mmCIF file of all heavy atoms in Angstrom:
data_model
loop_
_atom_site.group_PDB
_atom_site.id
_atom_site.type_symbol
_atom_site.label_atom_id
_atom_site.label_comp_id
_atom_site.label_asym_id
_atom_site.label_seq_id
_atom_site.Cartn_x
_atom_site.Cartn_y
_atom_site.Cartn_z
ATOM 1 N N PRO A 252 -53.218 7.812 19.204
ATOM 2 C CA PRO A 252 -54.045 8.021 17.890
ATOM 3 C C PRO A 252 -54.797 6.781 17.533
ATOM 4 O O PRO A 252 -55.852 6.980 16.760
ATOM 5 C CB PRO A 252 -52.923 8.164 16.853
ATOM 6 C CG PRO A 252 -51.693 8.659 17.659
ATOM 7 C CD PRO A 252 -51.800 7.977 18.945
ATOM 8 N N ASP A 253 -54.452 5.617 18.013
ATOM 9 C CA ASP A 253 -55.254 4.405 17.685
ATOM 10 C C ASP A 253 -56.406 4.143 18.710
ATOM 11 O O ASP A 253 -56.995 3.011 18.717
ATOM 12 C CB ASP A 253 -54.347 3.167 17.711
ATOM 13 C CG ASP A 253 -53.346 3.029 18.902
ATOM 14 O OD1 ASP A 253 -53.861 3.288 19.969
ATOM 15 O OD2 ASP A 253 -52.273 2.791 18.669
ATOM 16 N N ALA A 254 -56.808 5.129 19.516
ATOM 17 C CA ALA A 254 -57.694 4.840 20.590
ATOM 18 C C ALA A 254 -59.146 4.412 20.019
ATOM 19 O O ALA A 254 -59.675 3.472 20.528
ATOM 20 C CB ALA A 254 -57.947 6.176 21.378
ATOM 21 N N LEU A 255 -59.587 5.132 18.930
ATOM 22 C CA LEU A 255 -60.834 4.703 18.389
ATOM 23 C C LEU A 255 -60.865 3.462 17.486
ATOM 24 O O LEU A 255 -61.871 3.043 17.015
ATOM 25 C CB LEU A 255 -61.418 5.902 17.564
ATOM 26 C CG LEU A 255 -61.810 7.098 18.461
ATOM 27 C CD1 LEU A 255 -62.170 8.306 17.652
ATOM 28 C CD2 LEU A 255 -62.857 6.699 19.421
ATOM 29 N N LYS A 256 -59.672 2.819 17.410
ATOM 30 C CA LYS A 256 -59.707 1.449 16.813
ATOM 31 C C LYS A 256 -59.565 0.440 18.024
ATOM 32 O O LYS A 256 -59.069 -0.641 17.741
ATOM 33 C CB LYS A 256 -58.398 1.316 15.979
ATOM 34 C CG LYS A 256 -58.456 2.279 14.698
ATOM 35 C CD LYS A 256 -57.376 1.855 13.707
ATOM 36 C CE LYS A 256 -55.951 2.074 14.220
ATOM 37 N NZ LYS A 256 -54.991 1.750 13.304
ATOM 38 N N GLY A 257 -59.926 0.828 19.224
ATOM 39 C CA GLY A 257 -59.878 -0.131 20.324
ATOM 40 C C GLY A 257 -58.389 -0.263 20.735
ATOM 41 O O GLY A 257 -58.135 -1.263 21.439
ATOM 42 N N GLY A 258 -57.533 0.669 20.347
ATOM 43 C CA GLY A 258 -56.124 0.609 20.813
ATOM 44 C C GLY A 258 -55.337 -0.409 19.956
ATOM 45 O O GLY A 258 -54.172 -0.660 20.228
ATOM 46 N N GLU A 259 -55.964 -0.892 18.916
ATOM 47 C CA GLU A 259 -55.338 -2.043 18.193
ATOM 48 C C GLU A 259 -54.099 -1.512 17.441
ATOM 49 O O GLU A 259 -54.159 -0.581 16.578
ATOM 50 C CB GLU A 259 -56.345 -2.572 17.174
ATOM 51 C CG GLU A 259 -55.753 -3.803 16.376
ATOM 52 C CD GLU A 259 -56.768 -4.392 15.387
ATOM 53 O OE1 GLU A 259 -58.029 -4.202 15.692
ATOM 54 O OE2 GLU A 259 -56.342 -4.966 14.379
ATOM 55 N N ILE A 260 -52.904 -2.135 17.627
ATOM 56 C CA ILE A 260 -51.745 -1.764 16.882
ATOM 57 C C ILE A 260 -51.435 -2.845 15.834
ATOM 58 O O ILE A 260 -50.966 -2.569 14.784
ATOM 59 C CB ILE A 260 -50.461 -1.680 17.892
ATOM 60 C CG1 ILE A 260 -50.715 -0.543 18.805
ATOM 61 C CG2 ILE A 260 -49.169 -1.607 17.093
ATOM 62 C CD1 ILE A 260 -49.690 -0.449 19.863
ATOM 63 N N GLY A 261 -51.712 -4.219 16.082
ATOM 64 C CA GLY A 261 -51.525 -5.170 15.262
ATOM 65 C C GLY A 261 -50.281 -6.044 15.383
ATOM 66 O O GLY A 261 -49.687 -5.833 16.522
ATOM 67 N N TRP A 262 -49.853 -6.790 14.497
ATOM 68 C CA TRP A 262 -48.691 -7.702 14.558
ATOM 69 C C TRP A 262 -47.386 -6.789 14.465
ATOM 70 O O TRP A 262 -47.364 -5.940 13.539
ATOM 71 C CB TRP A 262 -48.669 -8.673 13.596
ATOM 72 C CG TRP A 262 -49.670 -9.814 13.794
ATOM 73 C CD1 TRP A 262 -50.934 -9.906 13.275
ATOM 74 C CD2 TRP A 262 -49.539 -10.884 14.643
ATOM 75 N NE1 TRP A 262 -51.584 -11.050 13.764
ATOM 76 C CE2 TRP A 262 -50.748 -11.643 14.684
ATOM 77 C CE3 TRP A 262 -48.506 -11.298 15.510
ATOM 78 C CZ2 TRP A 262 -50.937 -12.843 15.407
ATOM 79 C CZ3 TRP A 262 -48.696 -12.516 16.301
ATOM 80 C CH2 TRP A 262 -49.849 -13.207 16.248
ATOM 81 N N ARG A 263 -46.434 -6.977 15.360
ATOM 82 C CA ARG A 263 -45.204 -6.346 15.360
ATOM 83 C C ARG A 263 -44.092 -7.279 15.820
ATOM 84 O O ARG A 263 -44.348 -8.153 16.663
ATOM 85 C CB ARG A 263 -45.127 -5.182 16.325
ATOM 86 C CG ARG A 263 -46.105 -3.952 15.967
ATOM 87 C CD ARG A 263 -45.596 -3.185 14.821
ATOM 88 N NE ARG A 263 -46.377 -2.058 14.546
ATOM 89 C CZ ARG A 263 -47.545 -2.016 13.838
ATOM 90 N NH1 ARG A 263 -47.929 -3.115 13.292
ATOM 91 N NH2 ARG A 263 -48.151 -0.902 13.564
ATOM 92 N N ASP A 264 -42.965 -7.199 15.200
ATOM 93 C CA ASP A 264 -41.755 -7.890 15.609
ATOM 94 C C ASP A 264 -41.412 -7.381 16.988
ATOM 95 O O ASP A 264 -41.270 -6.181 17.166
ATOM 96 C CB ASP A 264 -40.651 -7.626 14.633
ATOM 97 C CG ASP A 264 -39.354 -8.380 14.994
ATOM 98 O OD1 ASP A 264 -39.136 -8.854 16.086
ATOM 99 O OD2 ASP A 264 -38.409 -8.382 14.116
ATOM 100 N N ALA A 265 -41.405 -8.238 17.940
ATOM 101 C CA ALA A 265 -41.124 -7.869 19.343
ATOM 102 C C ALA A 265 -39.818 -7.093 19.439
ATOM 103 O O ALA A 265 -39.669 -6.187 20.307
ATOM 104 C CB ALA A 265 -41.107 -9.066 20.302
ATOM 105 N N ASP A 266 -38.825 -7.410 18.647
ATOM 106 C CA ASP A 266 -37.519 -6.749 18.732
ATOM 107 C C ASP A 266 -37.621 -5.271 18.313
ATOM 108 O O ASP A 266 -36.764 -4.529 18.482
ATOM 109 C CB ASP A 266 -36.475 -7.388 17.847
ATOM 110 C CG ASP A 266 -36.052 -8.732 18.513
ATOM 111 O OD1 ASP A 266 -36.331 -8.958 19.679
ATOM 112 O OD2 ASP A 266 -35.469 -9.547 17.720
ATOM 113 N N ARG A 267 -38.638 -4.939 17.533
ATOM 114 C CA ARG A 267 -38.766 -3.521 17.066
ATOM 115 C C ARG A 267 -39.478 -2.625 17.991
ATOM 116 O O ARG A 267 -39.714 -1.514 17.802
ATOM 117 C CB ARG A 267 -39.609 -3.618 15.692
ATOM 118 C CG ARG A 267 -38.753 -4.178 14.551
ATOM 119 C CD ARG A 267 -39.432 -4.251 13.270
ATOM 120 N NE ARG A 267 -38.711 -4.972 12.230
ATOM 121 C CZ ARG A 267 -38.263 -4.359 11.137
ATOM 122 N NH1 ARG A 267 -38.556 -3.156 10.784
ATOM 123 N NH2 ARG A 267 -37.644 -5.072 10.205
ATOM 124 N N LEU A 268 -40.051 -3.196 19.070
ATOM 125 C CA LEU A 268 -40.670 -2.403 20.097
ATOM 126 C C LEU A 268 -39.589 -1.905 21.107
ATOM 127 O O LEU A 268 -38.584 -2.533 21.259
ATOM 128 C CB LEU A 268 -41.709 -3.359 20.864
ATOM 129 C CG LEU A 268 -42.808 -3.922 19.983
ATOM 130 C CD1 LEU A 268 -43.654 -4.840 20.756
ATOM 131 C CD2 LEU A 268 -43.777 -2.811 19.478
ATOM 132 N N PRO A 269 -40.025 -0.893 21.855
ATOM 133 C CA PRO A 269 -39.105 -0.434 22.940
ATOM 134 C C PRO A 269 -38.791 -1.706 23.910
ATOM 135 O O PRO A 269 -39.717 -2.436 24.130
ATOM 136 C CB PRO A 269 -39.855 0.617 23.725
ATOM 137 C CG PRO A 269 -40.788 1.152 22.599
ATOM 138 C CD PRO A 269 -41.098 0.010 21.783
ATOM 139 N N PRO A 270 -37.590 -1.797 24.273
ATOM 140 C CA PRO A 270 -37.182 -3.044 25.137
ATOM 141 C C PRO A 270 -38.078 -3.198 26.281
ATOM 142 O O PRO A 270 -38.360 -4.390 26.650
ATOM 143 C CB PRO A 270 -35.728 -2.605 25.547
ATOM 144 C CG PRO A 270 -35.166 -1.751 24.479
ATOM 145 C CD PRO A 270 -36.363 -0.963 23.964
ATOM 146 N N MET A 271 -38.555 -2.166 27.021
ATOM 147 C CA MET A 271 -39.450 -2.297 28.083
ATOM 148 C C MET A 271 -40.732 -3.122 27.751
ATOM 149 O O MET A 271 -41.119 -3.982 28.418
ATOM 150 C CB MET A 271 -39.864 -0.978 28.693
ATOM 151 C CG MET A 271 -40.722 -1.092 29.942
ATOM 152 S SD MET A 271 -41.542 0.565 30.409
ATOM 153 C CE MET A 271 -40.070 1.622 30.545
ATOM 154 N N PHE A 272 -41.285 -2.655 26.613
ATOM 155 C CA PHE A 272 -42.473 -3.344 26.097
ATOM 156 C C PHE A 272 -42.263 -4.785 25.752
ATOM 157 O O PHE A 272 -43.031 -5.717 26.097
ATOM 158 C CB PHE A 272 -43.072 -2.594 24.869
ATOM 159 C CG PHE A 272 -43.477 -1.191 25.125
ATOM 160 C CD1 PHE A 272 -44.015 -0.403 24.110
ATOM 161 C CD2 PHE A 272 -43.521 -0.629 26.463
ATOM 162 C CE1 PHE A 272 -44.529 0.891 24.268
ATOM 163 C CE2 PHE A 272 -44.034 0.575 26.610
ATOM 164 C CZ PHE A 272 -44.461 1.379 25.637
ATOM 165 N N SER A 273 -41.098 -5.033 25.023
ATOM 166 C CA SER A 273 -40.833 -6.412 24.548
ATOM 167 C C SER A 273 -40.649 -7.263 25.683
ATOM 168 O O SER A 273 -41.179 -8.461 25.718
ATOM 169 C CB SER A 273 -39.503 -6.336 23.653
ATOM 170 O OG SER A 273 -39.230 -7.638 23.335
ATOM 171 N N THR A 274 -39.860 -6.849 26.763
ATOM 172 C CA THR A 274 -39.623 -7.693 27.962
ATOM 173 C C THR A 274 -40.924 -8.051 28.654
ATOM 174 O O THR A 274 -41.148 -9.220 28.978
ATOM 175 C CB THR A 274 -38.760 -6.863 28.959
ATOM 176 O OG1 THR A 274 -37.583 -6.641 28.213
ATOM 177 C CG2 THR A 274 -38.514 -7.746 30.190
ATOM 178 N N GLU A 275 -41.842 -7.171 28.770
ATOM 179 C CA GLU A 275 -43.130 -7.449 29.560
ATOM 180 C C GLU A 275 -44.000 -8.364 28.659
ATOM 181 O O GLU A 275 -44.649 -9.240 29.180
ATOM 182 C CB GLU A 275 -43.780 -6.161 29.866
ATOM 183 C CG GLU A 275 -43.131 -5.378 30.894
ATOM 184 C CD GLU A 275 -43.103 -6.127 32.330
ATOM 185 O OE1 GLU A 275 -43.974 -6.919 32.588
ATOM 186 O OE2 GLU A 275 -42.091 -5.915 33.028
ATOM 187 N N LEU A 276 -44.112 -8.105 27.434
ATOM 188 C CA LEU A 276 -44.905 -8.885 26.498
ATOM 189 C C LEU A 276 -44.498 -10.290 26.384
ATOM 190 O O LEU A 276 -45.345 -11.189 26.224
ATOM 191 C CB LEU A 276 -44.947 -8.278 25.103
ATOM 192 C CG LEU A 276 -45.804 -6.983 24.977
ATOM 193 C CD1 LEU A 276 -45.496 -6.231 23.715
ATOM 194 C CD2 LEU A 276 -47.268 -7.240 25.051
ATOM 195 N N ARG A 277 -43.245 -10.558 26.542
ATOM 196 C CA ARG A 277 -42.669 -12.007 26.463
ATOM 197 C C ARG A 277 -43.115 -12.775 27.665
ATOM 198 O O ARG A 277 -43.151 -14.037 27.565
ATOM 199 C CB ARG A 277 -41.198 -11.976 26.356
ATOM 200 C CG ARG A 277 -40.652 -11.441 24.962
ATOM 201 C CD ARG A 277 -39.156 -11.513 24.900
ATOM 202 N NE ARG A 277 -38.596 -11.008 23.701
ATOM 203 C CZ ARG A 277 -38.445 -11.776 22.659
ATOM 204 N NH1 ARG A 277 -38.736 -13.102 22.679
ATOM 205 N NH2 ARG A 277 -37.951 -11.270 21.542
ATOM 206 N N LYS A 278 -43.560 -12.064 28.672
ATOM 207 C CA LYS A 278 -44.042 -12.868 29.922
ATOM 208 C C LYS A 278 -45.449 -13.303 29.760
ATOM 209 O O LYS A 278 -45.896 -13.963 30.589
ATOM 210 C CB LYS A 278 -43.823 -11.957 31.127
ATOM 211 C CG LYS A 278 -42.432 -11.434 31.424
ATOM 212 C CD LYS A 278 -42.438 -10.439 32.560
ATOM 213 C CE LYS A 278 -41.065 -9.842 32.804
ATOM 214 N NZ LYS A 278 -41.025 -8.886 33.937
ATOM 215 N N LEU A 279 -46.207 -12.734 28.820
ATOM 216 C CA LEU A 279 -47.614 -12.907 28.754
ATOM 217 C C LEU A 279 -48.043 -14.018 27.858
ATOM 218 O O LEU A 279 -47.379 -14.506 26.965
ATOM 219 C CB LEU A 279 -48.322 -11.661 28.321
ATOM 220 C CG LEU A 279 -47.930 -10.319 29.025
ATOM 221 C CD1 LEU A 279 -48.751 -9.194 28.419
ATOM 222 C CD2 LEU A 279 -48.355 -10.427 30.514
ATOM 223 N N GLU A 280 -49.242 -14.513 28.215
ATOM 224 C CA GLU A 280 -49.995 -15.353 27.353
ATOM 225 C C GLU A 280 -51.085 -14.489 26.530
ATOM 226 O O GLU A 280 -51.443 -13.470 27.160
ATOM 227 C CB GLU A 280 -50.678 -16.574 28.092
ATOM 228 C CG GLU A 280 -49.772 -17.486 28.807
ATOM 229 C CD GLU A 280 -48.741 -18.210 27.918
ATOM 230 O OE1 GLU A 280 -49.142 -18.510 26.792
ATOM 231 O OE2 GLU A 280 -47.603 -18.526 28.336
ATOM 232 N N ALA A 281 -51.542 -15.196 25.510
ATOM 233 C CA ALA A 281 -52.595 -14.405 24.758
ATOM 234 C C ALA A 281 -53.774 -14.008 25.620
ATOM 235 O O ALA A 281 -54.332 -14.934 26.361
ATOM 236 C CB ALA A 281 -53.072 -15.255 23.610
ATOM 237 N N GLY A 282 -54.210 -12.864 25.444
ATOM 238 C CA GLY A 282 -55.406 -12.290 26.343
ATOM 239 C C GLY A 282 -55.000 -11.538 27.545
ATOM 240 O O GLY A 282 -55.756 -10.890 28.129
ATOM 241 N N GLN A 283 -53.719 -11.692 28.004
ATOM 242 C CA GLN A 283 -53.243 -11.005 29.154
ATOM 243 C C GLN A 283 -52.797 -9.655 28.848
ATOM 244 O O GLN A 283 -52.464 -9.250 27.659
ATOM 245 C CB GLN A 283 -52.107 -11.790 29.868
ATOM 246 C CG GLN A 283 -52.601 -13.210 30.322
ATOM 247 C CD GLN A 283 -51.477 -13.836 31.013
ATOM 248 O OE1 GLN A 283 -50.238 -13.855 30.652
ATOM 249 N NE2 GLN A 283 -51.817 -14.664 32.028
ATOM 250 N N VAL A 284 -52.673 -8.761 29.961
ATOM 251 C CA VAL A 284 -52.255 -7.451 29.769
ATOM 252 C C VAL A 284 -50.980 -7.182 30.621
ATOM 253 O O VAL A 284 -50.751 -7.830 31.595
ATOM 254 C CB VAL A 284 -53.315 -6.378 30.102
ATOM 255 C CG1 VAL A 284 -54.475 -6.570 29.214
ATOM 256 C CG2 VAL A 284 -53.768 -6.592 31.572
ATOM 257 N N THR A 285 -50.232 -6.237 30.214
ATOM 258 C CA THR A 285 -49.053 -5.834 31.037
ATOM 259 C C THR A 285 -49.503 -5.016 32.221
ATOM 260 O O THR A 285 -50.541 -4.445 32.334
ATOM 261 C CB THR A 285 -48.036 -5.006 30.200
ATOM 262 O OG1 THR A 285 -48.741 -3.713 29.915
ATOM 263 C CG2 THR A 285 -47.666 -5.662 28.943
ATOM 264 N N PRO A 286 -48.468 -4.822 33.160
ATOM 265 C CA PRO A 286 -48.762 -3.817 34.207
ATOM 266 C C PRO A 286 -48.702 -2.408 33.586
ATOM 267 O O PRO A 286 -48.404 -2.313 32.369
ATOM 268 C CB PRO A 286 -47.566 -4.023 35.145
ATOM 269 C CG PRO A 286 -46.894 -5.311 34.830
ATOM 270 C CD PRO A 286 -47.232 -5.630 33.383
ATOM 271 N N VAL A 287 -48.968 -1.404 34.323
ATOM 272 C CA VAL A 287 -48.832 -0.065 33.825
ATOM 273 C C VAL A 287 -47.342 0.174 33.627
ATOM 274 O O VAL A 287 -46.535 0.023 34.522
ATOM 275 C CB VAL A 287 -49.424 0.991 34.805
ATOM 276 C CG1 VAL A 287 -49.120 2.421 34.288
ATOM 277 C CG2 VAL A 287 -50.930 0.701 34.995
ATOM 278 N N LEU A 288 -46.935 0.668 32.345
ATOM 279 C CA LEU A 288 -45.620 0.876 32.100
ATOM 280 C C LEU A 288 -45.367 2.424 31.807
ATOM 281 O O LEU A 288 -46.046 3.068 31.066
ATOM 282 C CB LEU A 288 -45.212 0.098 30.762
ATOM 283 C CG LEU A 288 -45.463 -1.367 30.745
ATOM 284 C CD1 LEU A 288 -45.237 -1.931 29.426
ATOM 285 C CD2 LEU A 288 -44.584 -1.994 31.861
ATOM 286 N N LYS A 289 -44.388 2.964 32.460
ATOM 287 C CA LYS A 289 -44.147 4.487 32.420
ATOM 288 C C LYS A 289 -43.030 4.649 31.414
ATOM 289 O O LYS A 289 -41.943 4.077 31.483
ATOM 290 C CB LYS A 289 -43.701 4.932 33.829
ATOM 291 C CG LYS A 289 -43.281 6.390 33.931
ATOM 292 C CD LYS A 289 -44.447 7.267 33.651
ATOM 293 C CE LYS A 289 -44.112 8.736 34.002
ATOM 294 N NZ LYS A 289 -43.132 9.397 33.133
ATOM 295 N N THR A 290 -43.236 5.574 30.467
ATOM 296 C CA THR A 290 -42.239 6.085 29.530
ATOM 297 C C THR A 290 -42.266 7.621 29.682
ATOM 298 O O THR A 290 -43.072 8.232 30.368
ATOM 299 C CB THR A 290 -42.482 5.624 28.090
ATOM 300 O OG1 THR A 290 -43.630 6.312 27.565
ATOM 301 C CG2 THR A 290 -42.724 4.173 27.973
ATOM 302 N N ASN A 291 -41.377 8.329 28.878
ATOM 303 C CA ASN A 291 -41.429 9.773 28.958
ATOM 304 C C ASN A 291 -42.708 10.375 28.270
ATOM 305 O O ASN A 291 -42.924 11.599 28.346
ATOM 306 C CB ASN A 291 -40.155 10.335 28.344
ATOM 307 C CG ASN A 291 -40.096 10.077 26.811
ATOM 308 O OD1 ASN A 291 -40.695 9.029 26.342
ATOM 309 N ND2 ASN A 291 -39.376 10.887 26.101
ATOM 310 N N VAL A 292 -43.457 9.539 27.604
ATOM 311 C CA VAL A 292 -44.632 9.990 26.927
ATOM 312 C C VAL A 292 -45.897 9.857 27.886
ATOM 313 O O VAL A 292 -46.691 10.707 27.897
ATOM 314 C CB VAL A 292 -44.991 9.173 25.693
ATOM 315 C CG1 VAL A 292 -46.309 9.504 25.015
ATOM 316 C CG2 VAL A 292 -43.871 9.365 24.611
ATOM 317 N N GLY A 293 -45.915 8.880 28.754
ATOM 318 C CA GLY A 293 -46.977 8.767 29.624
ATOM 319 C C GLY A 293 -47.041 7.359 30.218
ATOM 320 O O GLY A 293 -45.983 6.570 30.338
ATOM 321 N N PHE A 294 -48.257 6.880 30.508
ATOM 322 C CA PHE A 294 -48.466 5.554 31.165
ATOM 323 C C PHE A 294 -49.124 4.636 30.086
ATOM 324 O O PHE A 294 -50.191 4.953 29.529
ATOM 325 C CB PHE A 294 -49.275 5.629 32.412
ATOM 326 C CG PHE A 294 -48.682 6.507 33.466
ATOM 327 C CD1 PHE A 294 -48.890 7.790 33.595
ATOM 328 C CD2 PHE A 294 -47.692 5.885 34.369
ATOM 329 C CE1 PHE A 294 -48.323 8.649 34.562
ATOM 330 C CE2 PHE A 294 -47.087 6.676 35.293
ATOM 331 C CZ PHE A 294 -47.349 8.065 35.387
ATOM 332 N N HIS A 295 -48.537 3.434 29.890
ATOM 333 C CA HIS A 295 -49.040 2.509 28.854
ATOM 334 C C HIS A 295 -49.508 1.236 29.526
ATOM 335 O O HIS A 295 -48.959 0.741 30.416
ATOM 336 C CB HIS A 295 -47.943 2.170 27.847
ATOM 337 C CG HIS A 295 -47.148 3.245 27.162
ATOM 338 N ND1 HIS A 295 -47.418 3.544 25.838
ATOM 339 C CD2 HIS A 295 -46.286 4.207 27.643
ATOM 340 C CE1 HIS A 295 -46.671 4.665 25.508
ATOM 341 N NE2 HIS A 295 -46.015 4.944 26.604
ATOM 342 N N ILE A 296 -50.557 0.598 28.900
ATOM 343 C CA ILE A 296 -51.051 -0.714 29.213
ATOM 344 C C ILE A 296 -51.168 -1.364 27.961
ATOM 345 O O ILE A 296 -51.870 -0.904 27.010
ATOM 346 C CB ILE A 296 -52.326 -0.718 30.040
ATOM 347 C CG1 ILE A 296 -52.261 0.138 31.322
ATOM 348 C CG2 ILE A 296 -52.773 -2.133 30.312
ATOM 349 C CD1 ILE A 296 -53.616 0.393 31.950
ATOM 350 N N LEU A 297 -50.442 -2.497 27.762
ATOM 351 C CA LEU A 297 -50.535 -3.313 26.502
ATOM 352 C C LEU A 297 -51.237 -4.602 26.719
ATOM 353 O O LEU A 297 -51.080 -5.210 27.694
ATOM 354 C CB LEU A 297 -49.089 -3.556 26.008
ATOM 355 C CG LEU A 297 -48.217 -2.365 25.829
ATOM 356 C CD1 LEU A 297 -46.778 -2.837 25.409
ATOM 357 C CD2 LEU A 297 -48.758 -1.432 24.833
ATOM 358 N N LYS A 298 -52.049 -4.931 25.721
ATOM 359 C CA LYS A 298 -52.631 -6.273 25.707
ATOM 360 C C LYS A 298 -52.081 -7.187 24.594
ATOM 361 O O LYS A 298 -51.852 -6.692 23.454
ATOM 362 C CB LYS A 298 -54.113 -6.130 25.421
ATOM 363 C CG LYS A 298 -54.882 -7.510 25.365
ATOM 364 C CD LYS A 298 -56.428 -7.357 25.109
ATOM 365 C CE LYS A 298 -57.007 -8.685 24.957
ATOM 366 N NZ LYS A 298 -58.558 -8.567 24.803
ATOM 367 N N LEU A 299 -51.694 -8.388 24.942
ATOM 368 C CA LEU A 299 -51.176 -9.348 23.946
ATOM 369 C C LEU A 299 -52.295 -10.167 23.457
ATOM 370 O O LEU A 299 -52.969 -11.009 24.254
ATOM 371 C CB LEU A 299 -50.132 -10.258 24.691
ATOM 372 C CG LEU A 299 -49.604 -11.341 23.734
ATOM 373 C CD1 LEU A 299 -48.691 -10.726 22.682
ATOM 374 C CD2 LEU A 299 -48.796 -12.357 24.608
ATOM 375 N N ALA A 300 -52.687 -9.992 22.110
ATOM 376 C CA ALA A 300 -53.793 -10.822 21.527
ATOM 377 C C ALA A 300 -53.255 -12.117 21.010
ATOM 378 O O ALA A 300 -53.982 -13.068 20.822
ATOM 379 C CB ALA A 300 -54.410 -9.984 20.364
ATOM 380 N N GLY A 301 -52.006 -12.156 20.646
ATOM 381 C CA GLY A 301 -51.396 -13.424 20.160
ATOM 382 C C GLY A 301 -49.867 -13.231 19.920
ATOM 383 O O GLY A 301 -49.349 -12.100 19.821
ATOM 384 N N LYS A 302 -49.223 -14.389 19.784
ATOM 385 C CA LYS A 302 -47.801 -14.300 19.442
ATOM 386 C C LYS A 302 -47.401 -15.564 18.621
ATOM 387 O O LYS A 302 -48.059 -16.600 18.678
ATOM 388 C CB LYS A 302 -46.922 -14.278 20.657
ATOM 389 C CG LYS A 302 -46.973 -15.357 21.747
ATOM 390 C CD LYS A 302 -46.106 -15.025 22.904
ATOM 391 C CE LYS A 302 -46.224 -16.088 23.975
ATOM 392 N NZ LYS A 302 -45.435 -15.778 25.245
ATOM 393 N N ARG A 303 -46.397 -15.361 17.830
ATOM 394 C CA ARG A 303 -45.959 -16.540 16.978
ATOM 395 C C ARG A 303 -44.497 -16.390 16.689
ATOM 396 O O ARG A 303 -43.820 -15.253 16.715
ATOM 397 C CB ARG A 303 -46.727 -16.439 15.571
ATOM 398 C CG ARG A 303 -46.621 -15.162 14.830
ATOM 399 C CD ARG A 303 -47.612 -15.052 13.743
ATOM 400 N NE ARG A 303 -47.409 -13.769 12.915
ATOM 401 C CZ ARG A 303 -48.326 -13.269 12.188
ATOM 402 N NH1 ARG A 303 -49.454 -13.818 11.909
ATOM 403 N NH2 ARG A 303 -48.111 -12.073 11.434
#
Side-chain angles (χ1 to χ4, degrees):
D253 48 43
L255 290 174
K256 295 192 296 180
E259 182 181 335
I260 295 175
W262 287 99
R263 293 288 185 274
D264 181 344
D266 287 344
R267 293 179 184 240
L268 298 173
M271 180 196 304
F272 293 178
S273 178
T274 298
E275 292 297 329
L276 287 166
R277 287 178 182 276
K278 300 174 184 177
L279 304 181
E280 298 296 331
Q283 294 181 327
V284 299
T285 66
V287 176
L288 305 175
K289 175 71 167 68
T290 71
N291 65 334
V292 175
F294 298 93
H295 305 253
I296 302 171
L297 304 178
K298 178 181 178 180
L299 178 67
K302 60 183 174 182
R303 60 195 180 194

